[in-house]
Amino acid sequence: MQRLGIIFLFILFSGDIFSQSRKTENVVVVTLDGMRWQEIFGGVDAALLKDSVYNRNIKGLTEKFWSQDLAERRAKLFPFFWNVIAKQGQLYGNRNFDNKVDNANPYWFSYPGYNEIFTGYPDTGVNSNDKILNPNTNVLEFIQQQKGYKGKIAAFATWDVFPYILNAQRNGIYVNADNDSLKFNSPEFKLINDFQFLTTRPIGVRPDVITYLAAREYLKTYDPRILYIAFDETDDFAHGGMYDQYIGSAHAQDAMIADLWNTLQASPKYRNKTTLLITCDHGRGDKVKSNWKHHGSKIEDAHEIWVAVIGPDTNPIGEVKTPMQLYQKQIAATIAQLLGFTFKAEHPVADPVTTIYKN
Ligand SMILES: [Zn+2]
């Protein structure tokens, strides 16, 4: 009896040691709407750069972002991705190495993509960008039920459909989207709130930088354990055929992500215990060059996406150059596993990407 007891204690104890090897206590997710893997891994596109139909600033864009050298070119556009994540984290989705990340949903537009990211379930019933409350349980509300997470999850989005995608009405997660008024009593929040109401709205919703600054202020003030930031400008400028603006927004988003990572690493509450995961909702066309503007199931390559991760449990293997097939639906369970949970819901949930959180 006594020996059995000791063995049992040993099992309990070793289980504890295993869970303690996981360092992630917080997860931050950032999405770049419709940002193509072609620019993430290849930098500015040579054909689109020279095309005056799409680029109204050929000289300026060439000076700032062009290089014959691929490594230099992509680092000019995405310096944080290539100088920091490529050295300390992981990048998936470079199809030139047969490293593939794809939508599992058959629609290749925004709401179905975000549903897939957060529910792990490419529900074919989710097939519209309309403001419809999502029936599927997402990983954020699943984690909110776990000990220590109540009131510790927040989302800041540029697009005003996010309160529906994440179904904030059902789960009470704080989702601040477009011109939602920031009901906080600090001068910083007051200033950001003034900005969002006074700014021009070039894409019809508040600019991404305001979404970012509101999220950063919330992070500093309320210490969320999961923070989601959803940028939008890249998609809108691409639909508008404005390659110079699309590239400018992509570059600004890289800078905001760098600022976010520096903010996290400067805080004792987040430093070396926070994983940052960056991805997109869908791709866009490329094989027919003019299709870079478009996405959706009629655009043959618009299901091609990418994922980047940096954090204390993520092996720093950089750009993954081995043949592989990942799907967007695996992200939800991966977010849960980073925090030590197995995401279960009333719908099927795809397996996590183990290489993101296991050494
Ligand atoms: Zn989109």
Side-chain angles (χ1 to χ4, degrees), residues 224-258:
R225 294 193 62 187
I226 304 183
L227 177 67
Y228 172 43
I229 302 176
F231 293 133
D232 196 45
E233 285 171 13
T234 43
D235 190 68
D236 285 81
F237 286 130
H239 282 300
M242 295 180 266
Y243 195 67
D244 46 336
Q245 297 297 322
Y246 165 78
I247 289 299
S249 282
H251 185 61
Q253 288 169 3
D254 176 274
M256 289 186 261
I257 294 165

Side-chain angles (χ1 to χ4, degrees), residues 33-34 109-111 114 232 235 281-282 295:
D33 199 297
F109 61 86
S110 297
Y111 194 141
Y114 293 117
D232 196 45
D235 190 68
D281 52 341
H282 52 78
H295 58 88

